[in-house]
Each structure stands twice: as C-alpha cells, then as structure tokens.
C-alpha cells in the first residue's frame, strides 16, 4: 500500500536536510512526503523548495504559524494516500520503519506505533521505552502518555478523518486526543522494536510544555474515557500477554 509521510516543521533548518534524506530512504517510488512549513523564519523554506525540486515525491505546504495540530490537519487533507506515517524533523528512523509497521495492519487496525529510544543532541542513548504491543494493552497504555510516541505512528487517513482529525484546542496533547478517539473506531497496536530515536533537547517543545501537557492529558482522559470493558479485556488476557512478552526485547520492563 502506498504511504504519505507527514512532517510538520517550524524553523527546522538544523536537522531538515538530514531528516528529508532519512524519510525518503523509508519511502517507495509510489509514496510521498508531505511537509507542512508552519511559519518558519529561518532557512527552512528555501531548503524545502530545493528538496521539492530534487525529488517529485516531496510536497511542500506553507502555513503562517497556525500551530502543529492545524498544520497537520492541512497535511492530512492534502495527503494522497490512506496510510499516513508521522515523522518529526529532529528525530531519527531506521530505513525499514514503514515496511515493518505496515505489516501489522489488518482491515480493523486504525494505528500502529513502536518501541522508541530517547537520544540527546549528540545522538547518545538516554534509554528505551518499550511498548504494550497487543491492541488491548496498547489502548490501556494511552493513560500513561508515554507508550505511544506521536512521531512513531502510522495511521489510516479515513479513521483519522472519521473522528475529526487533530483538535487544536486539545494541544499540547493533541496526539493523545486523536488516539483516544481513533481507538473507538479501530484497533491500535504497537511493534516491539525500536523504530524511532526521539531526540530530547533543552529547547524541545516536549520539555517546555511538560506540565501543561500533563494537565491536558488528564482532561482528555475525562473527555474521552476508556471503558470498563477495555480494562476487563486486558485483565482477561493478562497471562497470555505476559507469555507473549517473553519472546520480545525488554520483556520484564514490558510486563511491568
């Protein structure tokens, strides 16, 4: 199935050229890379124009600082394909990331995530975050806010649009809002393999908005609550899940 890679960027010149090479290495000839340049005032715009001239798979959209959620919605509307793969400009991905995640989709799957690794500005490892893997456990893991990394997601455009896309008012936890709503229309699952190296820096939005994001997550879990049946499904399948985890890396941490 063809894929539309989706990447929002604002003032990303430091990482942009390496990032575009990394994403394009993940794509097949029939795929596309949709980059939404949201109000950059550095060299990002020029670098994106150069990239679009060099590779016809690159589609550049320009917005005027409307915010990541609104920018992503525009990118989704313009994306040509059903499968959308999120990428972030300052993160790093193995070249087989998309191929591995697409294998996890069936007709009822709405989104697929993966394990990921935190790295610093020098690409040194800060630790690995193992995922929940199975659909029932992945849905329940949304309560933690760290098991389903936004830039590790591949999801269906149709399911995203069915639930209303990203909601800007739900920022800075607009990703959790989307997953909670999508989990009601299809399965969400994860791959027990590191397919994202998530860069943390002192200037990252993630760190700057940590407290605000925590409060918003609490509000979203009240607004889009998990149901008693979601918890029961995990409990009923607990022994089976724990047995499955034994064959995966980081099995003890994953089980905990």
């Amino acid at each position: 199935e063809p894929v539309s890679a989706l990447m929002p960027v604002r003032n990303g010149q430091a990482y942009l050229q390496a990032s575009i090479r990394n994403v394009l290495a993940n794509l097949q000839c029939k795929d596309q890379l949709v980059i939404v340049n949201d109000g950059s005032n550095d060299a990002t715009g020029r670098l994106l124009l150069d990239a679009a001239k060099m590779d016809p798979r690159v589609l550049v959209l320009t917005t005027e600082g409307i915010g990541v959620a609104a920018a992503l919605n525009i990118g989704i509307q313009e994306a040509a394909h059903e499968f959308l793969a999120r990428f972030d400009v300052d993160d790093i991905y193995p070249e087989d990331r998309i191929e591995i995640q697409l294998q996890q989709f069936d007709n009822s799957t709405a989104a697929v995530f993966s394990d990921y690794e935190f790295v610093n500005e020098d690409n040194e490892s800060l630790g690995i975050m193992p995922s929940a893997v199975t659909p029932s456990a992945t849905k329940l893991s949304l309560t933690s806010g760290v098991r389903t990394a936004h830039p590790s997601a591949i999801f269906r455009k149709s399911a995203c649009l069915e639930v209303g896309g990203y909601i800007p008012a739900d920022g800075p936890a607009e990703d959790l809002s989307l997953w909670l709503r999508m989990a009601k229309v299809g399965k969400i699952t994860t791959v027990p393999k590191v397919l994202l190296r998530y860069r943390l820096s002192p200037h990252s939005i993630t760190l700057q908005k940590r407290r605000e994001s925590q409060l918003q997550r609490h509000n979203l879990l009240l607004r889009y609550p998990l149901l008693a049946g979601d918890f029961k499904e995990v409990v009923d399948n607990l022994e089976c899940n724990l047995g499955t985890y034994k064959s995966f890396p980081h099995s003890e941490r994953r089980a905990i």
Side-chain angles (χ1 to χ4, degrees), residues 11-30:
N11 294 337
Q13 66 177 25
Y15 303 107
L16 189 58
Q17 290 173 303
S19 180
I20 290 173
R21 288 194 297 269
N22 186 199
V23 179
L24 290 176
N26 256 276
L27 301 183
Q28 304 298 318
C29 294
K30 58 188 175 180

Side-chain angles (χ1 to χ4, degrees), residues 120 139 147 220:
N120 63 16
K139 181 188 284 189
R147 300 288 171 179
L220 292 172

Side-chain angles (χ1 to χ4, degrees), residues 46-64:
R46 175 178 56 79
L47 294 173
L48 289 177
L49 288 176
D50 291 343
K53 291 176 182 177
M54 292 291 293
D55 196 310
R57 293 175 295 176
V58 178
L59 172 63
V60 177
L61 306 172
T62 302
T63 52
E64 299 299 328

Side-chain angles (χ1 to χ4, degrees), residues 186-243:
K187 293 188 303 187
I188 60 172
T189 185
T190 49
V191 176
K193 185 173 183 178
V194 173
L195 300 179
L196 160 68
R197 302 189 78 210
Y198 190 108
R199 194 190 306 270
L200 291 177
S201 75
H203 310 294
S204 70
I205 294 175
T206 301
L207 291 178
Q208 292 172 12
K209 294 190 174 181
R210 182 174 178 82
R211 178 58 179 165
E212 184 183 351
S213 180
Q214 289 173 335
L215 292 172
Q216 186 66 292
R217 285 203 303 268
H218 175 74
N219 293 333
L220 292 172
L221 287 165
L222 293 176
R223 193 179 312 156
Y224 311 114
L226 297 173
L227 304 177
D230 298 324
F231 291 84
K232 185 177 186 302
E233 187 176 0
V234 171
V235 172
D236 289 347
N237 293 287
L238 185 60
E239 292 303 320
C240 180
N241 283 349
L242 294 179

Side-chain angles (χ1 to χ4, degrees), residues 135-196:
S136 59
T138 300
K139 181 188 284 189
L140 203 60
S141 77
L142 293 173
T143 59
S144 75
V146 296
R147 300 288 171 179
T148 48
H150 193 179
S152 78
I154 297 183
F155 56 98
R156 291 185 182 273
K157 177 176 178 176
S158 57
C160 177
L161 294 178
E162 179 182 347
V163 300
Y166 290 93
I167 299 176
D170 287 344
E174 66 282 336
D175 55 328
L176 174 61
S177 168
L178 181 60
W179 312 145
L180 286 167
R181 287 176 284 122
M182 287 184 67
K184 298 183 184 300
V185 301
K187 293 188 303 187
I188 60 172
T189 185
T190 49
V191 176
K193 185 173 183 178
V194 173
L195 300 179
L196 160 68

Side-chain angles (χ1 to χ4, degrees), residues 105-116:
F105 277 88
D106 60 27
N107 290 337
S108 61
T109 305
V112 175
F113 300 87
S114 74
D115 292 355
Y116 63 101

